[in-house]
Amino acid sequence: MAQTWGNFFFSLLDYKTEKFVIAKNKKVGVLFRLFQLTVIGYLIGWVFIWKKGYQETEEAIQSSVITKLKGVDLTNSSQFGLQLWGAEDYVIPPQGDRVFFVVTNYLVTPNQRLGYCPESPKVPDGFCTNDNECVEGESVLAGHGVKTGRCLNDTGTCEINAWCPVEHGHAPVEPMLAKAENFTVYVKNFIKFPKFGFFKSNVLPITNSTYLKTCRYDKDHHPYCPIFLVGDVINWTGYTFQDLATRGGSIGIGIEWNCDLDKDESHCNPEYSFTRLDSSENSQHSVTSGYNFRFARYYNDAAGQTYRNLFKVYGIRFDILVNGKAGRFSIIPTVINIGSGLALMGAGVFACDMILLYMMSKSSFYRETKFEAIKKKQSERESREQRERKHARHHRHHHHHRQDGRHRREEKPTAEMQPLTSILTQANNNPETQTQPSAASALKPHSPERKPQATVSFRTHTTEKHTVSPVSTLRAARHQ
Ligand SMILES: *[C@@H]1O[C@H](CO)[C@@H](O)[C@H](O)[C@H]1NC(C)=O
């Protein structure tokens, strides 16, 4: 019992290594090498070089955007006369947001006062033929005021209590602020990758104030100038200023930061892209295109009465969208990617095994060589026989124990005649004699003999059954 436990603990210290079967099959061999090459190519080319799989990445970019517009335009409208538009007038809201609106066209209704006037003929709910249709106190649906109960015959609409006169007319077909094309947008963008503690701004440190006063962004000549011409931005989206300015529209300015922090900070630079966000085919006629809203400016006249100017403004809404990711070398993704590449190699082994063992004309031969079935009953009987034969041999040894090792080698052919299965069972019964003959020999006197028996008989077994060249099998055995 104590000996069994001792053997068990000794066997724990054994190192087990796999035994390989080498198939001299060029087709599967070439296939496997091709597969390995593909996996290595994928791992190095795609995963490591293209996708930078050795890097830890951060996509949660933190950013702040500040904008400032410059430029003035003088407009002249029939109802309103001359009006000077500065950035404080045409940029809404004026505080320099990430999203801002630039007025390019407008319709003004000046000097509105609270009072009674007819509803606009554009509002369907305001139509009437007699007073009964204008219920007093009811507001006009999608209209401008509250009905007074009178139907006005000359317009065919109800009289309402509202800011009068109500808005009428259409926006000019040419943009009122034609010079908006030449307004400049100065975009300041500050970004941070918190994981790497990295900060940067799109106003690069090399730029000085005189450069900033004169430069205009251009993809080829001034890719890092943070000042954009409104007209250029619209052109880069594939539209013209005229397309958007009359009815309004929405433009996205993308700022993309793709930073490889293994390189110098000066390689981490913004890339700008421009797109129209409200795009639709033949946008000039589509009811969904365009962007407008109304606002009013209130005044008091000399008598203290309030009046207002109502503006319906059309314009271009700019959205500045900041995106980015940064990567820096890290050991963990590197190891994970190498590991998954090696696992893919395993898939190749599996596929080639399947082809070799089931899809080739000589598959049954390879199968028999690779898989060794152990039949329990037979093996029990045979191990008994084995024991008996061993006993007999032992006996013989006593008789001829003075003879040299040459005689011992001559014994082997008798062992080779044994079926393969019996030897395997024998080997399984005594694993330590298989793997560690030198250590086992100290414990058991007969084990050095048994080890060569097992390997030699395996070789001859295959040689007898199939015509595998002995040289190749020997080479295979030596390879181990
Ligand atoms: C905008 O500026 C360019 C060049 O300075 C000029 O040719 C063009 O006429 C200007 N556009 C408008 C609408 O003023």
Side-chain angles (χ1 to χ4, degrees):
M1 190 65 191
Q3 173 117 32
T4 324
W5 280 107
N7 288 349
F8 173 70
F9 284 117
F10 263 113
S11 73
L12 280 187
L13 298 178
D14 294 343
Y15 175 71
K16 286 178 195 162
T17 183
E18 284 175 55
K19 184 175 167 181
F20 291 93
V21 176
I22 295 184
K24 295 271 162 193
N25 186 312
K26 292 283 172 290
K27 278 185 211 154
V28 177
V30 166
L31 185 72
F32 185 60
R33 290 291 168 223
L34 274 182
F35 186 84
Q36 278 182 324
L37 269 183
T38 314
V39 169
I40 289 172
Y42 158 78
L43 195 66
I44 293 175
W46 176 258
V47 175
F48 280 104
I49 295 177
W50 186 251
K51 285 284 170 187
K52 294 198 167 69
Y54 56 87
Q55 285 186 338
E56 178 181 29
T57 58
E58 154 99 88
E59 298 199 11
I61 185 172
Q62 296 177 344
S63 108
S64 168
V65 173
I66 298 166
T67 56
K68 185 184 274 185
L69 275 92
K70 286 206 172 150
V72 288
D73 197 0
L74 192 65
T75 62
N76 190 359
S77 79
S78 51
Q79 305 129 312
F80 201 54
L82 283 175
Q83 165 111 353
L84 186 76
W85 293 79
E88 58 285 359
D89 303 306
Y90 62 71
V91 181
I92 302 168
Q95 64 262 39
D97 267 349
R98 187 182 67 80
V99 179
F100 58 92
F101 177 89
V102 177
V103 177
T104 53
N105 201 6
Y106 66 94
L107 171 68
V108 66
T109 314
N111 297 318
Q112 286 188 321
R113 289 170 190 267
L114 279 174
Y116 300 96
C117 53
E119 178 55 286
S120 159
K122 288 187 210 162
V123 182
D125 193 43
F127 294 140
C128 63
T129 45
N130 57 59
D131 288 356
N132 294 340
E133 289 172 46
C134 301
V135 182
E136 192 182 344
E138 230 178 46
S139 60
V140 185
L141 268 182
H144 298 94
V146 178
K147 293 171 186 169
T148 57
R150 284 179 61 202
C151 184
L152 300 175
N153 286 333
D154 48 348
T155 57
T157 56
C158 299
E159 188 191 55
I160 53 168
N161 188 355
W163 286 97
C164 291
V166 296
E167 184 187 274
H168 54 86
H170 295 276
V173 289
E174 283 293 307
M176 297 288 285
L177 282 86
K179 287 205 178 67
E181 193 179 1
N182 282 348
F183 292 169
T184 57
V185 187
Y186 177 18
V187 178
K188 279 192 271 188
N189 177 212
F190 303 93
I191 58 130
K192 182 181 175 185
F193 290 107
K195 197 193 236 172
F196 303 122
F198 179 84
F199 304 85
K200 188 138 187 183
S201 157
N202 70 328
V203 185
L204 303 182
I206 50 159
T207 50
N208 57 34
S209 58
T210 43
Y211 178 70
L212 282 184
K213 281 205 171 74
T214 54
C215 81
R216 298 286 175 266
Y217 172 85
D218 183 291
K219 210 181 184 76
D220 303 315
H221 304 107
H222 301 282
Y224 304 125
C225 171
I227 296 175
F228 303 85
L229 266 188
V230 169
D232 284 348
V233 168
I234 296 168
N235 290 341
W236 290 321
T237 68
Y239 293 83
T240 63
F241 178 75
Q242 295 296 325
D243 288 341
L244 273 89
T246 313
R247 304 279 309 271
S250 184
I251 295 279
I253 299 179
I255 307 180
E256 176 95 21
W257 295 85
N258 261 326
C259 293
D260 182 349
L261 300 183
D262 292 331
K263 292 186 188 153
D264 189 73
E265 187 190 314
S266 62
H267 288 93
C268 172
N269 288 318
E271 259 180 50
Y272 300 96
S273 60
F274 309 92
T275 150
R276 184 172 178 185
L277 297 175
D278 68 332
S279 59
S280 55
E281 299 296 312
N282 62 20
S283 53
Q284 283 295 307
H285 312 289
S286 167
V287 285
T288 57
S289 81
Y291 181 27
N292 66 72
F293 59 89
R294 290 181 180 84
F295 68 91
R297 294 215 172 103
Y298 293 83
Y299 310 92
N300 285 333
D301 62 13
Q305 292 289 309
T306 304
Y307 68 97
R308 71 175 196 179
N309 294 335
L310 177 69
F311 290 87
K312 179 181 185 182
V313 291
Y314 298 78
I316 301 161
R317 180 191 146 114
F318 291 88
D319 264 77
I320 297 176
L321 313 158
V322 182
N323 265 303
K325 69 171 195 272
R328 177 178 277 172
F329 173 78
S330 169
I331 191 72
I332 292 170
T334 310
V335 169
I336 288 174
N337 279 315
I338 291 176
S340 59
L342 294 183
L344 262 186
M345 297 256 189
V349 172
F350 178 78
C352 291
D353 267 10
M354 288 295 120
I355 292 168
L356 183 73
L357 298 175
Y358 299 105
M359 286 153 88
M360 310 285 297
S361 52
K362 284 193 283 177
S363 279
S364 58
F365 159 57
Y366 288 120
R367 269 205 304 280
E368 276 171 59
T369 317
K370 187 172 161 73
F371 302 120
E372 296 165 357
I374 303 166
K375 289 179 189 125
K376 195 165 179 243
K377 270 200 172 160
Q378 194 191 353
S379 65
E380 267 176 10
R381 196 183 64 231
E382 278 171 5
S383 61
R384 198 165 53 237
E385 283 172 14
Q386 178 93 15
R387 265 201 305 278
E388 282 164 14
R389 205 175 300 145
K390 204 197 302 173
H391 189 76
R393 196 165 55 212
H394 189 73
H395 201 71
R396 220 176 334 146
H397 262 275
H398 271 281
H399 278 279
H400 307 282
H401 74 285
R402 243 175 267 152
Q403 281 182 309
D404 58 357
R406 181 186 279 260
H407 178 79
R408 231 182 268 168
R409 235 170 278 138
E410 280 165 10
E411 271 182 60
K412 274 168 210 159
T414 50
E416 281 162 18
M417 291 297 113
Q418 295 166 10
L420 174 67
T421 48
S422 68
I423 288 153
L424 273 172
T425 10
Q426 186 192 358
N428 282 356
N429 287 347
N430 289 315
E432 73 276 8
T433 61
Q434 267 278 319
T435 49
Q436 281 273 31
S438 56
S441 62
L443 295 169
K444 301 212 167 174
H446 297 287
S447 40
E449 275 180 10
R450 230 179 285 143
K451 159 79 177 169
Q453 272 171 25
T455 45
V456 169
S457 66
F458 175 74
R459 274 181 224 155
T460 44
H461 177 78
T462 53
T463 322
E464 277 162 19
K465 262 201 156 174
H466 316 279
T467 51
V468 173
S469 78
V471 182
S472 65
T473 42
L474 268 175
R475 203 188 301 144
R478 213 179 302 136
H479 189 76
Q480 305 309 311

PDB file of all heavy atoms in Angstrom, residues 178-179 181-182, ligand 1:
ATOM      1  N   ALA A 178     -26.310  87.561 -48.046  1.00  0.00           N
ATOM      2  CA  ALA A 178     -25.498  86.867 -49.050  1.00  0.00           C
ATOM      3  C   ALA A 178     -24.045  86.763 -48.616  1.00  0.00           C
ATOM      4  O   ALA A 178     -23.345  85.820 -48.983  1.00  0.00           O
ATOM      5  CB  ALA A 178     -25.596  87.601 -50.380  1.00  0.00           C
ATOM      6  N   LYS A 179     -23.603  87.703 -47.808  1.00  0.00           N
ATOM      7  CA  LYS A 179     -22.196  87.693 -47.391  1.00  0.00           C
ATOM      8  C   LYS A 179     -21.913  86.641 -46.325  1.00  0.00           C
ATOM      9  O   LYS A 179     -20.762  86.441 -45.942  1.00  0.00           O
ATOM     10  CB  LYS A 179     -21.785  89.075 -46.888  1.00  0.00           C
ATOM     11  CG  LYS A 179     -21.637  90.088 -47.999  1.00  0.00           C
ATOM     12  CD  LYS A 179     -20.690  91.205 -47.586  1.00  0.00           C
ATOM     13  CE  LYS A 179     -20.495  92.207 -48.710  1.00  0.00           C
ATOM     14  NZ  LYS A 179     -21.738  92.961 -49.001  1.00  0.00           N
ATOM     15  N   GLU A 181     -21.745  83.766 -46.758  1.00  0.00           N
ATOM     16  CA  GLU A 181     -20.814  82.856 -47.420  1.00  0.00           C
ATOM     17  C   GLU A 181     -19.376  83.107 -46.979  1.00  0.00           C
ATOM     18  O   GLU A 181     -18.575  82.182 -46.900  1.00  0.00           O
ATOM     19  CB  GLU A 181     -20.942  83.104 -48.925  1.00  0.00           C
ATOM     20  CG  GLU A 181     -20.306  82.070 -49.793  1.00  0.00           C
ATOM     21  CD  GLU A 181     -20.512  82.411 -51.267  1.00  0.00           C
ATOM     22  OE1 GLU A 181     -21.136  83.462 -51.568  1.00  0.00           O
ATOM     23  OE2 GLU A 181     -20.052  81.624 -52.089  1.00  0.00           O
ATOM     24  N   ASN A 182     -19.070  84.357 -46.688  1.00  0.00           N
ATOM     25  CA  ASN A 182     -17.706  84.708 -46.318  1.00  0.00           C
ATOM     26  C   ASN A 182     -17.516  84.917 -44.816  1.00  0.00           C
ATOM     27  O   ASN A 182     -16.475  85.393 -44.392  1.00  0.00           O
ATOM     28  CB  ASN A 182     -17.258  85.969 -47.081  1.00  0.00           C
ATOM     29  CG  ASN A 182     -16.867  85.643 -48.517  1.00  0.00           C
ATOM     30  OD1 ASN A 182     -16.724  84.481 -48.864  1.00  0.00           O
ATOM     31  ND2 ASN A 182     -16.709  86.666 -49.337  1.00  0.00           N
TER      32      ASN A 182
HETATM   33  C1  LIG B   1     -16.484  86.310 -50.634  1.00  0.00           C
HETATM   34  O1  LIG B   1     -15.106  86.534 -50.736  1.00  0.00           O
HETATM   35  C2  LIG B   1     -14.586  86.267 -52.031  1.00  0.00           C
HETATM   36  C3  LIG B   1     -13.091  86.463 -51.965  1.00  0.00           C
HETATM   37  O2  LIG B   1     -12.697  87.354 -51.019  1.00  0.00           O
HETATM   38  C4  LIG B   1     -15.220  87.218 -53.034  1.00  0.00           C
HETATM   39  O3  LIG B   1     -14.729  86.975 -54.322  1.00  0.00           O
HETATM   40  C5  LIG B   1     -16.715  86.985 -53.011  1.00  0.00           C
HETATM   41  O4  LIG B   1     -17.359  87.932 -53.859  1.00  0.00           O
HETATM   42  C6  LIG B   1     -17.261  87.161 -51.597  1.00  0.00           C
HETATM   43  N1  LIG B   1     -18.646  86.770 -51.597  1.00  0.00           N
HETATM   44  C7  LIG B   1     -19.627  87.591 -51.282  1.00  0.00           C
HETATM   45  C8  LIG B   1     -21.003  87.047 -51.357  1.00  0.00           C
HETATM   46  O5  LIG B   1     -19.415  88.725 -50.930  1.00  0.00           O
END
